[in-house]
């Protein structure tokens, strides 16, 4: 296994593509070698240079992400693929699994979500290339359905963080009170998650004036994904 896994980001939205590039480059052992905005460009890059992993969007302007994988396999390219997509249909998830996609990550997501899944992928790849064998059925199940241990800051839950990210991605501008209402948590708890995302550069803080109290509220908007 190479010291650094070379990753190709396939994403047609420039903001999302740059966010994914930044995420990959923040991960030890991974490096983004480039961005492809179309299926044709992705296949061209894959035919011209070595790639260890593809982060692949499902819906591209000139084709479907799963068709990209099928065309890769048809010419003998066995590069691993992680789908990074907003497609939530069960049929899409099952189709991706049938053609060998190794992970399926839903947009929008926090950096920690991608980090944990790519780290799990790297561990499995190292184990496979080292010739390790499984000890029992439980280990087989863990390999087929890898559990990712969240490494979000102490006191925050990965599942709640992903829910906050989803809310931010679905609408422009949320206050801590509004997030708290949607989550069923306290305003203080909601603000901790929002402040974490803002500190990571994934959420933007602005001021909202309601014209009544005269005191502005802090509003949070998602900036790393579209």
């Amino acid at each position: 296994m190479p010291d650094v896994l070379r990753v190709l980001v396939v994403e047609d939205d420039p903001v999302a593509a740059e966010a994914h590039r930044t995420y990959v480059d923040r991960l030890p052992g991974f490096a983004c070698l480039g961005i492809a905005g179309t299926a044709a460009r992705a296949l061209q890059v894959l035919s011209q240079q070595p790639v260890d992993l593809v982060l692949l969007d499902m819906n591209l302007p000139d084709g479907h992400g799963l068709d990209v994988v099928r065309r890769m396999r048809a010419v003998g390219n066995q590069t691993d693929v992680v789908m990074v997509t907003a497609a939530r249909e069960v049929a899409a998830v099952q189709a991706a699994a049938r053609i060998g996609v190794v992970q399926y990550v839903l947009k929008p997501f926090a950096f920690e979500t991608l980090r944990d899944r790519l780290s799990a992928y790297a561990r499995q790849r190292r184990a496979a290339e080292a010739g390790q064998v499984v000890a029992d059925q439980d280990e087989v199940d863990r390999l087929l359905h890898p559990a990712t241990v969240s490494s979000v800051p102490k006191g925050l839950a990965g599942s709640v963080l992903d829910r906050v990210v989803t809310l931010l991605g679905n609408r422009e501008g949320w206050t801590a009170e509004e997030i708290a209402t949607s989550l069923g948590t306290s305003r203080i708890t909601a603000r901790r998650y929002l402040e974490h995302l803002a500190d990571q550069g994934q959420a933007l803080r602005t001021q909202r004036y309601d014209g009544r109290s005269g005191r502005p509220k802090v509003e949070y908007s998602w900036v790393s994904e579209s």
Side-chain angles (χ1 to χ4, degrees):
M1 178 172 172
D3 293 336
V4 176
L5 294 173
R6 298 156 296 196
V7 181
L8 174 65
V9 171
V10 183
E11 167 64 61
D12 65 306
D13 182 87
V15 175
E18 191 57 38
H20 298 168
R21 180 210 293 272
T22 301
Y23 288 176
V24 169
D25 285 340
R26 287 173 62 185
L27 289 168
F30 291 86
C32 180
L33 61 82
I35 294 172
T38 64
R41 177 57 181 161
L43 292 167
Q44 181 183 33
V45 173
L46 287 163
S47 70
Q48 293 176 343
Q49 57 183 295
V51 177
D52 298 302
L53 181 67
V54 180
L55 296 190
L56 180 61
D57 191 18
M58 189 78 82
N59 297 306
L60 297 166
D62 60 339
H64 197 278
L66 295 182
D67 288 333
V68 172
V69 182
R70 294 186 184 100
R71 292 171 66 182
M72 289 169 56
R73 303 302 185 239
V75 296
N77 189 317
Q78 298 301 315
T79 301
D80 288 328
V81 175
V82 171
M83 299 303 303
V84 180
T85 177
R88 295 172 178 267
E89 296 83 2
V90 171
V93 178
Q94 291 178 329
R98 281 196 295 269
I99 60 176
V101 170
V102 298
Q103 291 275 3
Y104 196 104
V105 182
L106 286 175
K107 298 181 189 175
F109 53 85
F111 165 69
E112 291 84 356
T113 300
L114 186 64
R115 175 187 60 197
D116 292 344
R117 281 152 182 77
L118 291 193
S119 296
Y121 161 77
R123 288 193 299 271
Q124 282 197 10
R125 179 166 173 154
R126 284 193 297 269
E129 295 187 4
Q132 294 183 19
V133 298
V134 295
D136 51 31
Q137 184 64 47
D138 287 342
E139 192 167 351
V140 171
D141 293 340
R142 285 194 297 272
L143 287 171
L144 292 177
H145 308 285
T148 55
V149 179
S150 176
S151 51
V152 298
K154 186 177 180 180
L156 302 185
S159 59
V160 177
L161 183 63
D162 282 343
R163 289 172 64 195
V164 173
V165 168
T166 298
L167 289 172
L168 290 179
N170 286 340
R171 194 189 84 191
E172 184 71 19
W174 292 78
T175 65
E177 290 85 352
E178 291 166 343
I179 291 290
T181 299
S182 294
L183 294 179
T185 64
S186 70
R187 178 182 57 81
I188 293 174
T189 296
R191 175 159 288 153
R192 290 174 61 200
Y193 286 91
L194 291 165
E195 284 296 312
H196 167 70
L197 292 170
D199 290 343
Q200 293 290 310
Q202 296 177 272
L204 176 68
R205 301 180 187 93
T206 56
Q207 300 290 316
R208 179 195 291 181
Y209 294 88
D210 60 17
R212 296 189 299 273
S213 65
R215 296 182 59 187
K217 294 182 178 180
V218 178
E219 185 176 84
Y220 301 83
S221 299
W222 185 247
V223 295
S224 293
E225 292 286 338
S226 64

